[in-house]
Structures are given as structure tokens and as C-alpha cells.
Amino acid sequence: MSTKKALILPLLLLLNGCGSSDAPAENSGNTPDATANSSEQSNNPPDQTTDTPDSTTTPPNSGSDDTGGGNDNGGGNDNGGGDDNSGGDDNSGGDDNSGGDDNSGGDDNSGGDDNGGGDDNGGGDDNGGGDDNGGDDDNGGGDDSDKEPDLPDTDGDGTPDEEDPFPLDPKHSNNSVASDVTLSLQSDKNNLITFKWLDTFSDEKGYKIQKLQNTAGRNSQNSAEWSTVASIGPAPEGLYAEQTIESESSAHYRVLVVNSDDTESILSSSQDVVRFNIEQQTIEQLTLTFPDGQTSPYQGTINIGLSQTVQSTQWFIDTQNMCALHNYCGAEDAQLNTAIYSDGTHRIDVTAEVSPSIFVQVSQTIDIYNPNLELIVAIKDYQDKKVIAAIGKTKSEIETVSYWVNGVLVETQTEETPITVDTCESEHIICNTTYPFHILWDPEYGDNEIKIVAQDTDGVVKERAFKEVVNSPAVIDITSPRDNSYISDDTLIMEGRITDESENITTSVYFGDIKLAEKKGTGEFSYTYPLNGLPKGDYMFYMITFDEYNVRSSDQIDFYYDPDLAERNLVYEVPEDHKIITINDKQLLLKDMRSYHSKESIDKYTVVDLSANPVTTREFSFSGDRKSVYSETVNSTGGFAGSFGSPGLRDLYVNKDGNNINLSALITEGNGDDEYFNFESNSIIQSTTDNSGVYLWNLDLLTYEFLQAPNNDKNYKPKFINDNYWSCQASYINYISDVFIYQYGTDTQPIRLTNNQEAGENGSYCIGINNEYIFYYTSHSEKNELLMYNIETKTTTKLSDQVRSALSNVILKDNLLVWEDRINNEYNQITIKDFNNGHTETISHVGLRKLDFGRVSYTKKLEDRLYPLYIWDRTTQKSERKWDPVASDHFISSDTNYIISYKLIYDIGK
């Protein structure tokens, strides 16, 4: 090392007034005037060797004068070279770690120098030749200037050469070189010391680690002896060098650099320490401490301390910086929040600076276990009760679950009572979850305080409390008039009843936007309103109720008023919760939706014969686990057919003479498909599951005829139209439908009427069959055609090429054909063609509804925005306006017409 480089640091110190130019080379007054620890990276976790982290924080109670002349705590060095806390030597006599006797000889508190015969930090003033902060010695030993500062002090350690038992070797430079020297040890491996320093040289020959052989007192006449215990070659400039040696029980060490001119310089730490005193007993006694009364495994937040005072610490858990993980870390203690760590074994590592630049690593493993209990609750309706259910998620086991309602303990359970919640009925519900614990509770009207308390075997108690309001909206039952009914009387009579759990409700009655009345409480009501003088048309009245919880309920009745309408005949009122499936002639098919949506999933049906007076009913049902009826229908004699079973496993059933008969089970060759069938008169056509053909059923004899698919085509998926002699099938081949016809009782293959596969058309579909013709519909990309095939001449005639694009817009029944065209994309027009008498007529600006029993129904938009229902009769070849009010549906019967107005079925005549 060049002399210039070696003098840079002392020169800077002199210029800044931070040290004397004749500061000792070996231990610079033993004053740990550090502003930074010697850690290289303060957040690096310690390894299992004696690697010493570099310090970046100022250790407490070290350095030169803190506030008033002398050392930080009253003269003397904190941990090296002088008294620790009182006027003289640290414990008794001379210097603690340098320059004089370690623990014996010399003055303790009087008559002598504080730290070696002179000023606090080496022969002169504390910080540069004069009084530190007021002319007196730092700690009372007389004026700082009492000692002559010009006595020879070759090594600059603050002790004149004539009194120094450790004089500097003549070949040593008299200034130390700042090289961030640190020593580190592990408490469980204290015989190993790791030295670490920063290489600041470019031309050094190497380094030496030396140990002091003789540590006699300051007044001893024995001379110091330093021996080299390790020699190391040069290191790359700017990097840290490192060397581990074996240590004795107690010893002094220093690190030298061998310069290029064979002179040697002493290396110092970041705190100007050049002589490092290792006290093995102190190191061995350094341990981690834990709070009294707490044992492993630990839980919650625990305090971890050290068994002795240190200058600074770094805390790690599982090699991670513990202070960066929401924990508190102090100089000598830390608070560990165990809740943020997993249960199990963890390692605590602490790197403690026991004296300036000397670090000891202490490690200890601990076990963590944080009990945890999570409580999830649910409440739902169950018949006339409520289910209060709970899930307890714990690391141990649930010991008890207690249920409280309105401050009263209802039940405490120690065994599971599982229940599955299937529906979401309140904010407390978690769908499709099995709750291990539950009770049934008889709900009480009003506000209810529900509390569930769970305790596990770890002793953790968790409570969930919530309010459950038991209150149903008021029920408004309007018995007259019925919704969607028509009224011809001059007075509207509104009657019914209001029911609720509380009398604290208010009901308002409105006719349109006119408020008619206000009712308090529950009970029956009756109100009237005059209709005479009002124009015929649609009207409504409604009622709104608010209860004490401001829960709203309402009901509205729509009706049509026309004093000129003839009296209609109400033939049947559909029961509540029943759905109208269809009316075939005079046979009404109903489905009980209440039983359908029940847990038993029963498909219950009623067939009503509207021709009887009074009407007669026949009930039957289908039931099975996860099974339902689809595609249900009824024929004109009240016969029932439908597919029953679970998806993909359904069979075709009929209800005959009160018995449910599985037609699919009677098939001995192949399997019948439940989806594709047609029920007309007393016969059924059913396709096969493998699309190999169809079954033609005779329901009187319960026998069938098998008809093979054209050319054994496996893509044959027919949709049927049939009469007693012929069937027409729209069969899909390669996803494009073609029309085939077949005559019963023959062994010939079906006749193919279209070949859309080659023509590139979208597909053809059967419309119907009469004695002479088979009608079908072909969809093109730009138009839709209606065609008829002459069975006798085997020729095809086009009837229209403007048919609206829906099969429902073409109907053939009883030799009467009707279809709806879209004329030039401007308006709709229906054409009626009677093959009995050859009559044909068109009606413009109408929409086709139905065709049955020689009558055609359609609607027509009028200027008053009404869409009245008209019916054309083939016998009179005239149309009649039959119904003005809005109707949900209508059906044409053999000798009358039925209107469905909400749940009311009216006979409006033929």
C-alpha cells in the first residue's frame, strides 16, 4: 500500500476535527465512535457458519463524546479501551480492552488517566487537544491538559512509549486503515472466529491475523508479544476477504496488511476498532430468552429477548428478515407474531454485536401452533319451521355447538347432526353445502336474535350472531273479478280478503291511477266502481299493501269491459298451480305444477272432458327418482301419451283405461325413441333409438308394425304427419331434411319426394295428408315454397313461394289447407283452400292463429290498437269477430270455441 493511500482517512479525520493526527494505530483510543455497523448487507440472513453481517445501524452507547466531553456514558470507552461508565477503568483499574491492564492495576476512579494515563481517548483532549466541552477532564480526573501531550507515542494508542507495554513494531505504520473489519462467532461454535475485511488496496502482498500472546497489566514491565496465527494472500480490490480460525477461550486479535514495501498497517473496523478482544465466556452465555409461563409450541405474539446487553441485533426467522414481516424488532428484543407463520417448527437466528465490530450468532428452533376456529352459519325455511345450521372449521375437533334464540339457550350439541342446504333463501345461505350441525326452530313473528357459539378441543370459542326477521308479505286474495276476464255489467265489484301476521298494515286500492280507498288491517274487503259511460276496452285495478317492516305486496286484475258483448259461458275454472297443456276437441289436459316442483317430483295430470255437464275429470300420475314426463299430449278421446324417465333414459308411455303402459317395453326388436312420436286418432308413430326406422302402433290392440328406414340410413330422424293410410316423414340425412311418404300395409320402401342433398336446399318438412295429396314445405335461402304431391298421378304442384318462414304458418286439417304469405315483404296474407268444394279465398293484413274442425282463427290489428280474434267457418265461408279482450290462448272444438282467460275457460260458441 502506498503511504498516500494509507494517510487519506486520518487526514480527513483531522480536517473534520473528528480525531487527533497522532491517533493510535492499534486501537485509536478504544473508542467505538461508530456511525454504522460493519454489516455488509443488513438484511442478509445469517448462515450456519460464522459469517458476520455488515452493520448499517449505529450501535447504541458508542463513539466519542455524546453530549458533553468524554465518552457517551461518562468517560471511558463503551466496550473497548477505557472506562465503561465511570472515570477510570471499565471494571477496575486500567483499560478495558487496550493500552493498560485489562481488569487489574492502575487507577479506577482517581489520580490517573481515565483510559490510560491521560485524556478520555488518548493522552490529550477527548476530541483534539483541549478540554472536551469545558476544560475539565471528562469524568473528573483533573484538567485534560494535566498530561503532557508531546510525550512519544509511536503507535498512537494514547499511551506514551515509556509506559506502553505494547509498543508498535518499528516497521508498522502509525495509522490504522479503515477496512470495515468484523469478527463473527456462533454461540454454539465459539472456538471458530471468522474475520472479514474490505480490500482497499491495489498492490498489497497479503494479510496477517495476529493474536496477542501477553496481556499483562499496563504497569507491567513485560513487553507485548503478537504472533501471526494466519497469513492470507492478496484479495481483489473492492471485495471482502474472509478467514476463519480457531480461537482460545479469551484473546486479543488484530488484522494487518503487508504493503508492497513490506511495511505493515493495522486494519480497523468501521468503528475504528483495531484490537478485538474475544471473551468466550460472554459469548457462551449469550442465549435467547422467552417469556415466563410460555412454552413451545407458541401462539399469538411472543416476546423474544437476549440474556445480556448487546449493542445491536439483526433478527431472522427461517432465513428471512423477521423485521420485514409485520414484527417488532428492537436492539435487544423482538416481538414475533406467530399467527403469520404456519404451524410447525421454525428457526430463529439472531446476529448480535456484543462489542464494537464483534458479532455473535445465536440460533434456536421453536414450534408454532395457533389454534383457529371458523364458524359458518345458515338459516332456511323447512316446512313450517326454520333450520339453523352451522359449520365449524377447526384444526382440532368441534367440542360443542350451542344455539341461542332471543337470549334463551335452545340446545347444545356435542354430536354432529348433518343437513344439506339446497337453496339460497337468505343472505346467510351457502348453497349445496352440508352443515354438520343444525337444529329445527319454530319461528316467531318479528325480530329474532340468533346466536350460535362453537368451541373446539383447543379451547377456542367462536360466536356468530345475526338478526332474523320472521315476516311474510301480506297476502291479497282477489276473488272477483278474475284476472283477464271480461265484464259487461255497468258496475265493477272488487271483492276478496287480506291476510297477514300483523294487523299493522295499510292497503291502498286503485282503479287505474285513481285511488279508491285505503284499508287498515286485515280481513275481507268489497269495493265498487261505476263502469257505465266508459268506452269498451282494457282496464285494470290493483291493490298495494305495506306492513310494519315496510314490506310491499300487491295484486293486479286486468279485465276487458264491453257492455255490448253477448253473455259468455264459463265452463271451467282451472285450479291454482295447474298449467293448461292443450285442448284437443273437448279434452283438456292439465298438469299440477305444485306436485311437479315438490321434493317427490310427481308428474300429476288431469284430463277434463269439457263436453260433459257438469264436466268430468280423470287423474293419473307418474313418479320416480329424478324422472319426469316430456312431450305430453292428449287425443280427441282423452287418451294420453308422453315420454317418461330420466334424460337419455326415457320411454314412451300411454295412459289407457286408467293404467300407465310403457310402449317402449313392449318392443321386441330394437328400441323405441321417446322424443320422436306423433299421436293422432288412436294410432302412434314412434321412431327407433338407433334411427333404423319407425314403429306404427295400434293402441286398441297394443301392437306395432316396424317400418325400416330408407336405405338403412342411420341418420334417419323422422318427424311425422300421418292419417289412417299414409305417413309423411321429414327425415334428416347428413343434417339436411328430405320428405319421404309411406303407405301402411305395404312392404315397399318409402317414396322420396325431395332430394335436397343434391339441390343444395335448406330442407323440406311435411305439412299434412288428405285423401288425394301430401303437402310439404321446402325452405330456400331466399324464399319458402308450399308444394303438394298428387298420390294418384305422382306429380307435384307449387302452391306458393312466399310462405312465411315457420312451419306453423302452414296447416292442413280435414281437407282444409291454410297458409300465411308475406306479400312483397310488406304485409301478411292468409289463403284458405277447401279441397272439399274447391273454394279458395285470401284475407289480407291478418295473422294466422289456428285451423281445426273446418274453422280458421286469425287476428287483425285495428286502429284502436285492439287485436280482436276472428274465426272463419267453412260452412258459411264467412268470418266473425268472436273476442276482443286480451286472451292467453284459444282452442277450436268440433262444435264450439274455447277462450282461455287467465284460469277461466269460456265457451264462446261456434
Side-chain angles (χ1 to χ4, degrees):
M1 161 186 157
S2 66
T3 305
K4 291 182 178 180
K5 183 179 292 187
L7 293 176
I8 289 175
L9 181 60
L11 181 58
L12 292 175
L13 294 174
L14 177 61
L15 291 175
N16 287 294
C18 298
S20 174
S21 62
D22 56 351
E26 194 174 336
N27 196 351
S28 199
N30 290 336
T31 303
D33 189 13
T35 57
N37 290 336
S38 50
S39 227
E40 187 174 5
Q41 294 180 0
S42 62
N43 290 327
N44 286 343
D47 53 27
Q48 288 302 299
T49 69
T50 57
D51 189 23
T52 304
D54 297 337
S55 300
T56 58
T57 57
T58 303
N61 300 326
S62 65
S64 61
D65 296 334
D66 191 16
T67 61
N71 292 323
D72 188 26
N73 284 315
N77 295 323
D78 188 22
N79 281 316
D83 296 324
D84 189 16
N85 285 313
S86 62
D89 296 320
D90 188 23
N91 291 313
S92 62
D95 296 329
D96 186 23
N97 281 321
S98 66
D101 295 330
D102 189 18
N103 285 313
S104 63
D107 296 329
D108 186 18
N109 268 321
S110 65
D113 297 327
D114 186 27
N115 281 318
D119 296 318
D120 186 29
N121 281 318
D125 291 327
D126 187 29
N127 282 315
D131 291 335
D132 188 24
N133 274 314
D136 288 332
D137 284 329
D138 188 29
N139 286 311
D143 192 284
D144 279 346
S145 61
D146 288 347
K147 293 298 180 180
E148 299 180 6
D150 55 346
L151 293 177
D153 182 14
T154 306
D155 60 4
D157 65 356
T159 304
D161 290 346
E162 62 183 19
E163 300 177 11
D164 193 351
F166 311 118
L168 183 68
D169 192 298
K171 65 179 179 178
H172 293 160
S173 170
N174 67 341
N175 288 302
S176 64
V177 179
S179 298
D180 196 19
V181 181
T182 60
L183 276 68
S184 60
L185 306 89
Q186 285 183 246
S187 61
D188 58 345
K189 296 179 181 178
N190 52 53
N191 63 323
L192 297 178
I193 307 176
T194 296
F195 293 79
K196 189 176 182 180
W197 64 92
L198 176 66
D199 186 292
T200 60
F201 310 94
S202 60
D203 55 356
E204 81 277 14
K205 288 186 176 182
Y207 297 90
K208 295 179 181 179
I209 298 175
Q210 293 186 336
K211 181 178 68 173
L212 184 64
Q213 295 291 89
N214 188 345
T215 58
R218 176 164 296 171
N219 295 328
S220 171
Q221 299 303 311
N222 295 325
S223 59
E225 297 180 2
W226 288 91
S227 63
T228 299
V229 294
S231 297
I232 305 96
E237 184 178 8
L239 300 180
Y240 277 84
E242 185 176 300
Q243 182 67 30
T244 301
I245 67 170
E246 291 188 1
S247 170
E248 296 180 359
S249 59
S250 296
H252 291 254
Y253 291 93
R254 68 182 181 182
V255 182
L256 306 177
V257 60
V258 181
N259 301 309
S260 59
D261 59 359
D262 290 327
T263 61
E264 297 174 350
S265 300
I266 301 176
L267 305 186
S268 65
S269 72
S270 62
Q271 304 178 57
D272 291 337
V273 178
V274 296
R275 184 181 299 175
F276 302 90
N277 180 21
I278 303 299
E279 292 286 349
Q280 296 291 6
Q281 183 177 3
T282 301
I283 294 170
E284 292 173 357
Q285 292 175 350
L286 183 63
T287 59
L288 297 181
T289 62
F290 294 86
D292 294 338
Q294 293 188 24
T295 59
S296 185
Y298 295 100
Q299 67 184 61
T301 299
I302 60 174
N303 295 316
I304 306 175
L306 294 172
S307 59
Q308 62 190 53
T309 301
V310 298
Q311 293 192 2
S312 66
T313 51
Q314 295 180 47
W315 300 83
F316 300 88
I317 181 169
D318 300 330
T319 73
Q320 300 296 315
N321 185 353
M322 194 168 80
C323 307
L325 298 174
H326 308 289
N327 299 303
Y328 162 77
C329 296
E332 295 181 354
D333 65 345
Q335 290 182 347
L336 177 65
N337 180 9
T338 65
I340 64 177
Y341 302 97
S342 61
D343 293 340
T345 301
H346 299 265
R347 193 185 80 189
I348 306 295
D349 292 300
V350 179
T351 300
E353 189 176 14
V354 295
S355 62
S357 304
I358 298 179
F359 297 87
V360 176
Q361 181 175 310
V362 183
S363 299
Q364 183 170 333
T365 59
I366 65 170
D367 289 328
I368 291 176
Y369 177 75
N370 281 288
N372 183 58
L373 174 58
E374 180 182 358
L375 184 59
I376 303 172
V377 301
I379 186 166
K380 63 166 291 187
D381 293 329
Y382 182 79
Q383 297 177 358
D384 59 342
K385 299 180 182 294
K386 283 185 178 288
V387 171
I388 303 176
I391 294 177
K393 296 182 178 180
T394 178
K395 295 179 180 179
S396 55
E397 295 181 356
I398 298 297
E399 192 169 58
T400 60
V401 176
S402 299
Y403 305 85
W404 300 73
V405 178
N406 298 324
V408 177
L409 177 62
V410 177
E411 184 176 340
T412 296
Q413 296 175 340
T414 58
E415 301 291 336
E416 292 188 355
T417 57
I419 190 172
T420 299
V421 177
D422 294 321
T423 58
C424 290
E425 297 178 0
S426 78
E427 60 180 348
H428 309 295
I429 290 295
I430 298 178
C431 295
N432 301 320
T433 300
T434 297
Y435 288 78
F437 297 90
H438 85 280
I439 62 169
L440 293 179
W441 169 53
D442 290 319
E444 300 177 11
Y445 173 78
D447 298 333
N448 293 272
E449 298 292 337
I450 308 296
K451 182 174 72 175
I452 302 178
V453 181
Q455 180 172 336
D456 62 14
T457 53
D458 284 331
V460 179
V461 177
K462 185 70 71 172
E463 176 182 310
R464 286 288 306 275
F466 54 90
K467 179 184 291 186
E468 181 69 15
V469 177
V470 178
N471 175 52
S472 300
V475 177
I476 304 174
D477 181 18
I478 301 176
T479 58
S480 176
R482 300 307 300 263
D483 194 29
N484 291 321
S485 60
Y486 74 90
I487 296 175
S488 58
D489 295 336
D490 292 337
T491 301
L492 172 66
I493 300 175
M494 298 163 282
E495 296 179 329
R497 183 179 183 84
I498 298 174
T499 56
D500 192 61
E501 297 162 307
S502 170
E503 288 296 319
N504 189 16
I505 63 172
T506 301
T507 304
S508 299
V509 184
Y510 295 86
F511 178 81
D513 57 358
I514 302 173
K515 185 173 181 179
L516 302 182
E518 185 172 278
K519 174 181 173 58
K520 298 291 185 179
T522 62
E524 296 181 350
F525 62 84
S526 179
Y527 304 100
T528 61
Y529 187 79
L531 299 176
N532 58 312
L534 294 177
K536 64 180 180 179
D538 292 308
Y539 294 91
M540 65 93 174
F541 79 91
Y542 61 94
M543 307 178 72
I544 301 176
T545 295
F546 289 93
D547 65 14
E548 60 182 312
Y549 291 98
N550 205 34
V551 176
R552 180 183 187 273
S553 59
S554 63
D555 197 8
Q556 176 176 313
I557 296 296
D558 295 297
F559 64 93
Y560 186 82
Y561 170 65
D562 185 357
D564 299 328
L565 284 174
E567 185 66 29
R568 305 308 193 199
N569 179 27
L570 177 63
V571 294
Y572 187 70
E573 182 172 349
V574 178
E576 289 294 331
D577 301 316
H578 281 64
K579 176 183 177 181
I580 297 174
I581 304 298
T582 188
I583 297 178
N584 191 337
D585 195 3
K586 298 181 180 300
Q587 303 299 315
L588 167 66
L589 178 62
L590 302 175
K591 184 171 186 176
D592 187 342
M593 302 307 294
R594 180 175 50 193
S595 63
Y596 175 71
H597 291 299
S598 67
K599 289 187 176 181
E600 291 76 14
S601 296
I602 299 176
D603 291 271
K604 185 181 293 185
Y605 295 91
T606 301
V607 175
V608 182
D609 186 353
L610 299 177
S611 64
N613 188 15
V615 299
T616 60
T617 60
R618 174 171 61 90
E619 294 184 351
F620 53 93
S621 62
F622 296 83
S623 63
D625 184 30
R626 299 183 181 275
K627 294 181 179 181
S628 297
V629 178
Y630 299 84
S631 305
E632 57 268 68
T633 188
V634 66
N635 66 3
S636 59
T637 62
F640 173 88
S643 60
F644 173 67
S646 55
L649 298 173
R650 291 192 288 263
D651 293 324
L652 180 61
Y653 278 76
V654 295
N655 183 266
K656 180 179 174 63
D657 301 327
N659 298 314
N660 295 330
I661 300 172
N662 186 347
L663 295 185
S664 299
L666 301 178
I667 298 173
T668 58
E669 49 180 321
N671 294 291
D673 193 303
D674 65 279
E675 182 178 0
Y676 295 102
F677 71 91
N678 189 57
F679 187 22
E680 290 289 345
S681 300
N682 208 33
S683 62
I684 289 180
I685 301 178
Q686 178 188 13
S687 67
T688 60
T689 55
D690 61 0
N691 304 320
S692 61
V694 297
Y695 302 101
L696 310 177
W697 283 95
N698 184 320
L699 296 184
D700 289 331
L701 303 176
L702 293 179
T703 59
Y704 66 89
E705 173 188 354
F706 176 71
L707 174 62
Q708 186 171 313
N711 302 319
N712 293 318
D713 185 0
K714 295 300 182 182
N715 288 316
Y716 181 66
K717 295 180 182 292
K719 291 184 179 296
F720 308 104
I721 297 294
N722 65 289
D723 65 5
N724 291 330
Y725 305 99
W726 286 85
S727 72
C728 178
Q729 304 143 19
S731 303
Y732 287 86
I733 301 174
N734 296 327
Y735 306 103
I736 298 177
S737 61
D738 277 305
V739 170
F740 296 82
I741 59 174
Y742 175 77
Q743 186 177 10
Y744 301 155
T746 64
D747 295 330
T748 61
Q749 283 289 320
I751 301 170
R752 185 172 188 168
L753 298 186
T754 64
N755 194 350
N756 294 322
Q757 311 294 319
E758 297 179 2
E761 307 297 349
N762 294 342
S764 298
Y765 308 92
C766 297
I767 299 299
I769 304 171
N770 66 9
N771 294 332
E772 300 179 65
Y773 301 99
I774 295 176
F775 301 88
Y776 60 95
Y777 163 101
T778 297
S779 175
H780 298 265
S781 58
E782 297 181 355
K783 59 183 179 180
N784 303 298
E785 295 179 337
L786 175 62
L787 305 104
M788 66 180 184
Y789 174 80
N790 189 307
I791 297 174
E792 183 177 352
T793 64
K794 297 182 175 55
T795 58
T796 300
T797 302
K798 183 190 298 184
L799 297 178
S800 172
D801 60 4
Q802 299 187 79
V803 180
R804 291 191 64 195
S805 56
L807 287 176
S808 60
N809 293 317
V810 183
I811 310 172
L812 173 71
K813 283 189 177 181
D814 302 321
N815 229 19
L816 187 64
L817 176 69
V818 60
W819 71 88
E820 183 176 343
D821 289 327
R822 181 66 176 169
I823 305 301
N824 299 324
N825 204 32
E826 295 178 359
Y827 60 92
N828 296 340
Q829 172 183 285
I830 64 172
T831 299
I832 301 172
K833 189 174 183 63
D834 191 342
F835 286 90
N836 285 345
N837 54 30
H839 174 77
T840 301
E841 69 173 273
T842 61
I843 306 174
S844 299
H845 302 285
V846 298
L848 178 62
R849 295 292 301 275
K850 294 185 178 182
L851 164 62
D852 217 343
F853 299 103
R855 297 193 298 280
V856 178
S857 64
Y858 60 89
T859 56
K860 185 175 184 178
K861 180 179 178 182
L862 301 181
E863 292 180 357
D864 57 2
R865 301 183 63 83
L866 288 175
Y867 289 84
L869 179 69
Y870 291 81
I871 294 182
W872 179 91
D873 193 324
R874 77 189 307 175
T875 58
T876 63
Q877 297 180 1
K878 293 181 180 180
S879 297
E880 182 180 354
R881 181 172 171 176
K882 300 294 293 184
W883 188 261
D884 283 354
V886 176
S888 57
D889 204 353
H890 72 281
F891 294 90
I892 301 173
S893 180
S894 57
D895 58 2
T896 190
N897 298 293
Y898 295 107
I899 289 290
I900 311 299
S901 180
Y902 184 57
K903 296 292 185 179
L904 305 178
I905 300 179
Y906 292 96
D907 180 348
I908 61 173
K910 184 176 180 180

